[in-house]
Amino acid sequence: MSLSIPCVLMRAGTSRGPFFLRDWLPEGDEARDQALIGAIGASDPLQLDGLGGGSTLNSKVAIVSRSSVPGCDLDYLFAQVGVGHRSVDTRPNCGNMLSGVAPFAIEQGLITAQDGSTTVRIHNVNTGSQIEATVRTPGGKVSYDGDARIDGVAGTAAPILLNFLDAWGAVTGQVFPTGQRIDTIDGLEVTCIDAAMPLMILRAIDLGLTGRERPAELDANPSLLARIEALRLEAGRRMGLGDVSGSVVPKPVLVSAGDSLDSITSRYFTPHKCHASHAVTGAIGVATAFALPGTVASGIARQAGRHALVVLHPAGQIDVAVDIEGEGEAIEVRSAALVRTARKIMQGMLHLPGYVFPPAAPVPGSVAPSASSAVRNFPQHELHIIVPTSAGGGNDTMARTLTRKLGPLLGQPLVVDNRAGANGSIAAEYVAAAEPDGHTLMFGYIATHGINPALQKLRYDPVADFSPVGLIGYSPTLLVVPAALPVDDVASLVRLLRDAPAPMAYASAGEGTVPHLAAELFQLQTGTRLTRADFSGAGPAIADVANGLVQLMFPSLFTALPYLRSKRLKALAVAGTERLAACPDVPTLSEAGVPGVAMTQWYALFAPAKTPHSVTRQLNTALNTVLRDPEVAARMQAEGAQVQTSTPGELHDLLLAEGERWQDVVRQTGLRLNMAAD
């Protein structure tokens, strides 16, 4: 596979990202997504190894091709690439990136430009909606120079007119998916609307806000964010979107009075943080709710015709021209247009890092080297340990502790490669597909090889797709809360959770992880209700708990210990069968009156299935030698983990026992993830 592909980097509206023709990218969605991850540099929060800028606003991708839809000129697929985690989400849409599609397509020869201006009809693949984009093309060439100004972008540029033609009900099939213009959720009136983007709109005043707060003020209010998320989850169910805890739609919006009869103030969430300015698609939805009667955002009564409306946001405003047809309650918005600008920043060849692509599988029919040859020559080159969680968490720290000794012992460099996402499935699938020669290994743990298979359908088998190398160790699970939370034991925490006006939040390191499952079991056993705050790993999750942004978490002792030592966290209980020597005064959950939440995390090393036994034996010997090193054992124990050696066969037996154990837990609790492999 070529690691160099053509690319055009563009600023489009208030977003920035690479634009690709579909033919430039690898075939197949999986290979395409790996290329996008490499293009953006998604694995690093700073995105130093790619084109991203460390923010969702400049970690976006536009993929363009000639349209197969009758009446449309172009297909536009938007992709939101992760920041600090390797993920690609094509469920949402982006109106800002949309503004660069027509000029990009014209310059790439997909559209013949007219003299003066060129109008292109675009089919948005994400939502199925159609948009007309009008671009200035004097002399039949795209011009980026002009006097149009949009808030959030320095300078001026040529205007690009976007006319949304059928964005109303594009996702759910109805402008008001619940059948009502106002619903009451948890005592608050909300409007659930599907206009360019599914939204849940609330009045800011109903939440005790002015609606003019800065995004940082709103983001620093965890109880507000928790309540908004609880409302959003219920709104998603009522809108027919199902369980939206793992989705970015519907987007929450807080509205308040504008500066005139034709303006409205909006604070748009993405959905767990307030947008620094405003999404274009979100502005269409807010303007629609503002123009129509009977919503929480409704303005003055308006007659049929075109109306110039303004959506005020933290960085300025977005002007939206809406066309209204009908009278009274039957009045409808038929189209909406707004002005954006775009600029081509650079065009050239993008060099993708090879580590984003799984090692090539053996060619069918090819002659593989003999086992004896593999033993003599193993390892032949650099080895990679794939860690299924983000950098900074317990798994990552433990893996790096091992590599410092394991690499020199094997005689080759050993690199830690974090591939977080899909509750470990991304990493597991990558290793399962790797060449079975021992050079690509997986740092597996209780979630990837024990809990996940019981909770959901997977594209990998934890037993059949891996060759066990050996156990690494164990770490108990704790219930921790921020130091500032006014509780000192489990009983007072349960009272606080039950008396809270809105559900408090717990931090999850991803669906199917121990912090997620332990919190779900805790709710079942205590009769409390919590909102899940998902993170790309234990590291960023526990950091937000320590900062007081999330109210509780069930991390491993390995992950929690530094924060307990600095007194930024309080340990209320051990989710295990006995107290810990490191925390002798902390009771078990069972002692605290909450039985049935006993989880000790385990960690192990795996190779792809069909790795020669001689290679796994060599790896097992090296691993056990490192684990018996007093320095390694002491360091891991100081961090909250107990080393444990094993043979490959003993690890295989543990997998079988864990599979049966978690199947029983799922049957007893009824827990099930709302996820399935494609």
Side-chain angles (χ1 to χ4, degrees):
M1 179 183 294
S2 172
L3 299 181
S4 297
I5 59 175
C7 171
V8 176
L9 182 64
M10 297 187 72
R11 192 272 301 162
T14 55
S15 297
R16 190 196 74 209
F19 280 63
F20 300 99
L21 293 180
R22 183 63 187 89
D23 292 342
W24 293 349
L25 295 167
E27 289 290 335
D29 290 352
E30 182 178 352
R32 175 204 69 193
D33 289 353
Q34 294 298 330
L36 300 186
I37 287 168
I40 292 295
S43 58
D44 174 15
L46 296 179
Q47 300 179 330
L48 293 176
D49 207 25
L51 296 175
S55 164
T56 56
L57 299 183
N58 40 35
S59 302
K60 300 182 175 185
V61 175
I63 302 171
V64 183
S65 59
R66 287 189 174 88
S67 183
S68 57
V69 176
C72 291
D73 303 301
L74 300 170
D75 281 349
Y76 156 55
L77 176 67
F78 167 72
Q80 179 69 64
V81 183
V83 179
H85 55 92
R86 299 171 185 241
S87 64
V88 176
D89 191 355
T90 56
R91 291 170 297 181
N93 181 24
C94 179
N96 276 304
M97 292 292 280
L98 171 67
S99 61
V101 170
F104 167 78
I106 291 170
E107 292 193 324
Q108 298 306 318
L110 269 63
I111 300 293
T112 301
Q114 307 300 310
D115 186 15
S117 66
T118 301
T119 298
V120 178
R121 182 166 288 202
I122 301 168
H123 167 239
N124 177 231
V125 178
N126 306 77
T127 64
S129 61
Q130 298 182 16
I131 308 97
E132 284 185 347
T134 301
V135 184
R136 284 188 181 177
T137 51
K141 294 184 177 180
V142 173
S143 173
Y144 294 102
D145 297 323
D147 54 5
R149 184 185 301 275
I150 62 174
D151 290 317
V153 177
T156 61
I160 297 173
L161 181 67
L162 300 179
N163 189 18
F164 289 76
L165 303 174
D166 62 349
W168 291 266
V171 175
T172 65
Q174 300 180 71
V175 178
F176 298 103
T178 69
Q180 304 181 92
R181 299 196 176 194
I182 292 180
D183 292 90
T184 300
I185 302 177
D186 195 22
L188 291 181
E189 290 188 332
V190 305
T191 289
C192 299
I193 189 169
D194 179 6
M197 176 71 72
L199 304 177
M200 176 197 70
I201 305 176
L202 303 102
R203 300 184 190 96
I205 193 173
D206 290 346
L207 290 169
L209 304 169
T210 66
R212 299 284 179 130
E213 289 83 0
R214 293 178 293 109
E217 293 178 69
L218 298 172
D219 292 344
N221 188 338
S223 60
L224 171 68
L225 297 179
R227 187 167 195 201
I228 290 175
E229 177 63 6
L231 295 169
R232 188 183 80 89
L233 295 177
E234 177 59 24
R237 285 189 283 270
R238 295 191 187 189
M239 295 172 77
L241 299 172
D243 179 4
V244 298
S245 57
S247 174
V248 297
V249 293
K251 300 289 181 72
V253 181
L254 306 182
V255 296
S256 57
D259 295 333
S260 69
L261 293 178
D262 292 321
S263 68
I264 183 170
T265 301
S266 176
R267 294 294 182 264
Y268 180 89
F269 290 76
T270 62
H272 305 299
K273 291 184 66 177
C274 184
H275 200 296
S277 54
H278 208 288
V280 168
T281 47
I284 296 290
V286 171
T288 299
F290 182 48
L292 296 177
T295 76
V296 299
S298 295
I300 61 172
R302 302 181 191 278
Q303 303 299 315
R306 172 161 285 206
H307 298 268
L309 306 179
V310 176
V311 176
L312 302 172
H313 57 75
Q317 67 183 56
I318 297 177
D319 299 315
V320 184
V322 299
D323 285 313
I324 298 176
E325 292 181 1
E327 295 180 357
E329 289 296 323
I331 203 166
E332 296 179 331
V333 173
R334 302 302 301 172
S335 66
L338 47 79
V339 171
R340 297 279 87 187
T341 66
R343 186 176 78 85
K344 181 168 70 174
I345 298 173
M346 61 77 66
Q347 179 169 353
M349 295 300 293
L350 178 63
H351 302 283
L352 300 174
Y355 59 72
V356 301
F357 297 100
V363 177
S366 63
V367 179
S370 66
S372 60
S373 172
V375 175
R376 284 197 308 271
N377 298 322
F378 178 80
Q380 297 176 332
H381 50 76
E382 183 180 85
L383 293 90
H384 286 241
I385 289 185
I386 310 302
V387 177
T389 53
S390 61
N395 293 7
D396 176 70
T397 304
M398 200 178 302
R400 294 179 192 277
T401 298
L402 290 175
T403 58
R404 279 189 283 271
K405 298 273 187 177
L406 192 55
L409 188 61
L410 290 169
Q412 289 286 353
L414 207 162
V415 177
V416 173
D417 186 351
N418 299 89
R419 292 178 179 262
N423 43 293
S425 293
I426 290 175
E429 291 170 23
Y430 180 93
V431 175
E435 188 171 351
D437 61 3
H439 290 88
T440 302
L441 306 171
M442 182 174 183
F443 189 100
Y445 70 121
I446 187 173
T448 57
H449 286 70
I451 298 174
N452 285 354
L455 283 174
Q456 59 183 305
K457 293 181 180 178
L458 299 171
R459 284 189 286 251
Y460 69 90
D461 187 306
V463 177
D465 290 340
F466 296 89
S467 294
V469 173
L471 267 171
I472 293 168
Y474 293 91
S475 184
T477 299
L478 298 175
L479 166 58
V480 301
V481 298
L485 199 70
V487 297
D488 293 310
D489 52 40
V490 174
S492 58
L493 174 64
V494 171
R495 285 194 298 271
L496 180 65
L497 297 176
R498 289 173 176 168
D499 295 340
M504 290 186 172
Y506 74 87
S508 165
E511 285 192 291
T513 60
V514 167
H516 166 217
L517 191 58
E520 293 295 326
L521 290 172
F522 179 80
Q523 292 178 81
L524 287 172
Q525 297 295 342
T526 59
T528 55
R529 187 163 161 243
L530 294 163
T531 297
R532 188 171 84 240
D534 263 331
F535 295 85
S536 60
I542 200 163
D544 269 18
V545 179
N547 289 329
L549 301 177
V550 185
Q551 286 71 54
L552 63 93
M553 183 178 176
F554 284 86
S556 68
L557 176 61
F558 193 96
T559 299
L561 202 52
Y563 295 93
L564 295 173
R565 287 173 176 157
S566 64
K567 301 191 183 304
R568 297 179 63 193
L569 290 176
K570 293 185 288 190
L572 301 186
V574 178
T577 57
E578 57 186 30
R579 297 193 182 200
L580 307 177
C583 311
D585 296 329
V586 179
T588 66
L589 275 171
S590 183
E591 289 174 330
V594 183
V597 191
M599 294 192 176
T600 297
Q601 303 205 41
W602 56 262
Y603 313 88
L605 201 61
F606 297 90
K610 299 183 181 179
T611 298
H613 294 302
S614 50
V615 172
T616 57
R617 282 198 301 269
Q618 184 177 341
L619 286 167
N620 176 261
T621 299
L623 174 64
N624 289 345
T625 300
V626 169
L627 293 174
R628 293 189 185 104
D629 186 311
E631 181 186 342
V632 172
R635 178 163 184 172
M636 290 179 62
Q637 186 169 18
E639 296 288 352
Q642 182 69 44
V643 299
Q644 175 65 57
T645 61
S646 79
T647 65
E650 288 169 341
L651 176 54
H652 178 267
D653 292 342
L654 173 67
L655 291 183
L656 296 179
E658 285 288 279
E660 294 177 1
R661 175 195 172 199
W662 289 110
Q663 290 287 352
D664 288 340
V665 170
V666 168
R667 279 193 292 268
Q668 291 168 15
T669 62
L671 288 173
R672 196 80 181 172
L673 296 189
N674 192 25
M675 298 174 61
D678 293 333

